[in-house]
Amino acid sequence: MIAFIVAAFAACPSRRERAVTEPIKPEVRVITVTPRDFSADITSFGSVVYTKKNDVTASVDGIVDAIPFREGDSVGKGMRIATLKNVQLCIRRDQAAAALKSAASATALAEAEYEDARRGVEARFIGLERTALELGVNERKLAALKAGVRDDERLLEIGGITEESMRSARDELANAEDACAMLKKEDSIARIGLRDSDLEDSGYPVPTDPERRRALLVDLNTRTKRAELEVARSNEATAGTELSSAEALVRELAIESPIEGTVGALYKEQGERVAAGDKIMTVFSSEDAWIVFPVDEGEVGRVKRGMPVSVTIDSLQREPVKGTVDLVSPTVDPQSGNVTVKALVKRMASRAKPGMFASVTVATGSPVKKVLIPLSALSLREDKKGAVMTVRSGRVFTRAVELGMEYKGEIEITGGLEPGERVALEPSPIIKEGDEVTPYEK
C-alpha cells in the first residue's frame, strides 16, 4: 500500500508537465448548413408621379379672355379650358373669306367665258357649212350667167339683141364672179385655226375621225380661255387655303384639354397677354400613375419588368393597391448607389395626388429553397467563386464553393456544400486547414 502511494506521487509531476505542454484548441462559432424557404421581396419608399402630364400652351398670340377652371378642378378630354382674344386673327379670317368669295366669282366668270368660247368655235363650224352652201349656190348661178352671156353673144352677132343688153349681161356676170371670189376669200379667212395645218403646227396628229378632229379643233381654239379658267381655279384654291388657315388660327383661340385629368397648375390669369408657346396650365392625367422608388444597386438585378408590386399610400391609410414594375433605369446614381424603378398602378391618379409618399414592396418571386450563409463566413471571394472553412470531427477544412445572389448580409451557396455540414463563422486567419478546434453554435 505504501509502495503504491509512493509510486502515485512519483507519477504526479509527469501528468502536470503534459497538461502544460498540450496545445489549447481555439473555439470556433459555426452554423449548420440548412436549406430554407427564401422569398427576397424588396421594400422601399417612393412617391406618386402621373404617367401623363400635359402642359397646355397657347398656339397663337392673344389675350386671355376666360379660364373657367382653377387648380384641382377636374377636366375632360376635349373640354374648353381657356379662351383667348385676337382681333387681328378675326380680321384676317374675314379678309380671307372675302377673297375666297371674289376668287369664286372670278372662277365662275372664267368658266362662262370658256363655255362661250367653245360655243363660238362650234358656231364657226356652222358658219363654214353655211358658207359652203352659199358658195355652191353662187357657183351654180355664175355658171348659168356664163352660159347666158355666151348665148347673148351669139344673138348679138345675128342682131338678136342690142349692145346695151349685151353690156348689161356682161356686167351681171362680172358682179357674180366678184361675189363668188369674195365668198371664197371669206371662207378662207373663217377657216383660219380650223385647218389640218393648224393642228399639225400645234403638234397634234390629224384624226381620221371627223368628230374627233372637230373636238380637237375646238380645244385648240379655246386654249387661252381654258388657261384663264385654270388660273382662276388655282386662285380660288389658294384663297380657300388661306381661309382654312385663318379659321384654324381662330379656332386655336379656344383651348381644349388634351387629356382627361386634373388641373395641376395655372400660369396665366384673365386679361394677361400670352405669346404662342406660353404655358397656360398643366393638366395631370386621371388615368394611371407611376410609383417612383429607389432600389439598391446590389438588389436591382432581381427586379424585372412585370413583377407584382404592392403599394400603400401612407397619408391615405388605405388598403394596399396592386401594380407592376414598368421601368428599371439603366443607370446608377453615383452618390447614393441606387437605381430608380417605376411601378405602374392602374387608375392610381384618381386615388392619390402627385408627390404623395408611398410604401412599396416588390415581390421578386415565390418562396424557394436556398442555402444561405452570412457573408462573414467567406474566407475568400472572387466573383461567383468563394471558399469557406468547414468543421468536421473537430478539425478545420477549406472548401471551395459557388456563390449566387447576395441578400441582406447573406449570400447564396449554389454548390460545394451539403445540408448538415458545419461552416465556421468569421474564421480567424491564424487557423489553418487541419487544425483542431472546439466548435460551438450560438
Side-chain angles (χ1 to χ4, degrees), residues 265-297:
L266 286 175
Y267 307 106
K268 298 294 181 181
E269 296 292 338
Q270 185 176 1
E272 285 191 74
R273 181 175 294 278
V274 296
D278 286 354
K279 287 197 296 185
I280 296 177
M281 69 174 64
T282 297
V283 179
F284 293 102
S285 170
S286 61
E287 294 294 325
D288 308 336
W290 277 319
I291 310 300
V292 181
F293 58 95
V295 174
D296 185 84
E297 63 178 317

Side-chain angles (χ1 to χ4, degrees), residues 61-75:
D61 298 345
I63 297 174
V64 178
D65 186 42
I67 300 180
F69 296 96
R70 290 293 176 263
E71 294 176 355
D73 290 349
S74 297
V75 296

Side-chain angles (χ1 to χ4, degrees), residues 56-98:
V56 181
T57 60
S59 299
V60 295
D61 298 345
I63 297 174
V64 178
D65 186 42
I67 300 180
F69 296 96
R70 290 293 176 263
E71 294 176 355
D73 290 349
S74 297
V75 296
K77 183 177 181 180
M79 183 181 293
R80 182 176 297 185
I81 56 179
T83 305
L84 306 180
K85 289 191 300 186
N86 189 314
V87 177
Q88 287 76 16
L89 288 182
C90 293
I91 293 174
R92 177 181 170 183
R93 177 197 58 192
D94 295 341
Q95 290 175 338

Side-chain angles (χ1 to χ4, degrees), residues 144-163 166 169-170:
L145 289 174
K146 286 181 178 180
V149 169
R150 287 195 298 271
D151 292 340
D152 288 344
E153 286 177 346
R154 285 195 293 270
L155 288 174
L156 181 62
E157 290 176 357
I158 61 174
I161 60 172
T162 64
E163 288 288 341
M166 189 69 227
R170 286 174 179 169

Side-chain angles (χ1 to χ4, degrees), residues 84-335:
L84 306 180
K85 289 191 300 186
N86 189 314
V87 177
Q88 287 76 16
L89 288 182
C90 293
I91 293 174
R92 177 181 170 183
R93 177 197 58 192
D94 295 341
Q95 290 175 338
L100 177 60
K101 185 176 180 180
S102 176
S105 298
T107 300
L109 177 61
E111 288 176 345
E113 291 178 347
Y114 175 61
E115 292 300 325
D116 287 343
R118 293 184 65 87
R119 286 191 290 268
V121 176
E122 292 290 345
R124 288 178 60 189
F125 277 111
I126 296 173
L128 289 176
E129 294 171 357
R130 178 188 175 190
T131 301
L133 292 175
E134 291 180 356
L135 190 57
V137 172
N138 286 355
E139 286 177 345
R140 289 192 297 274
K141 182 178 179 181
L142 181 60
L145 289 174
K146 286 181 178 180
V149 169
R150 287 195 298 271
D151 292 340
D152 288 344
E153 286 177 346
R154 285 195 293 270
L155 288 174
L156 181 62
E157 290 176 357
I158 61 174
I161 60 172
T162 64
E163 288 288 341
E164 185 69 23
S165 297
M166 189 69 227
R167 282 195 300 271
S168 178
R170 286 174 179 169
D171 290 341
E172 186 178 0
L173 175 60
N175 291 335
E177 288 176 342
D178 291 340
C180 188
M182 183 67 70
L183 196 58
K184 288 181 179 180
K185 291 292 184 183
E186 291 177 356
D187 181 68
S188 298
I189 294 172
R191 289 185 181 277
I192 295 175
L194 303 177
R195 302 165 297 186
D196 291 346
S197 59
D198 295 317
L199 289 174
E200 294 171 350
D201 292 342
S202 297
Y204 296 106
V206 180
T208 56
D209 183 13
E211 292 299 326
R212 290 187 60 191
R213 175 182 177 278
R214 184 164 179 162
L216 189 57
L217 286 170
V218 170
D219 290 340
L220 179 64
N221 285 271
T222 56
R223 285 184 301 179
T224 300
K225 292 299 180 181
R226 184 171 67 250
E228 291 176 354
L229 175 59
E230 291 174 356
V231 170
R233 287 173 174 170
S234 177
N235 291 338
E236 184 179 6
T238 301
T241 301
E242 179 63 25
L243 177 59
S244 297
S245 175
E247 289 176 339
L249 291 175
V250 171
R251 286 195 296 271
E252 293 296 333
L253 295 174
I255 300 173
E256 299 177 349
S257 175
I259 58 174
E260 178 186 353
T262 304
V263 177
L266 286 175
Y267 307 106
K268 298 294 181 181
E269 296 292 338
Q270 185 176 1
E272 285 191 74
R273 181 175 294 278
V274 296
D278 286 354
K279 287 197 296 185
I280 296 177
M281 69 174 64
T282 297
V283 179
F284 293 102
S285 170
S286 61
E287 294 294 325
D288 308 336
W290 277 319
I291 310 300
V292 181
F293 58 95
V295 174
D296 185 84
E297 63 178 317
E299 297 183 340
V300 75
R302 298 187 291 112
V303 180
K304 306 296 182 183
R305 185 176 182 182
M307 282 184 170
V309 175
S310 177
V311 178
T312 303
I313 305 298
D314 300 336
S315 60
L316 298 180
Q317 297 180 345
R318 293 181 178 177
E319 292 295 322
V321 294
K322 302 299 181 182
T324 56
V325 174
D326 188 53
L327 184 146
V328 179
S329 175
T331 61
V332 179
D333 186 339
Q335 294 182 349

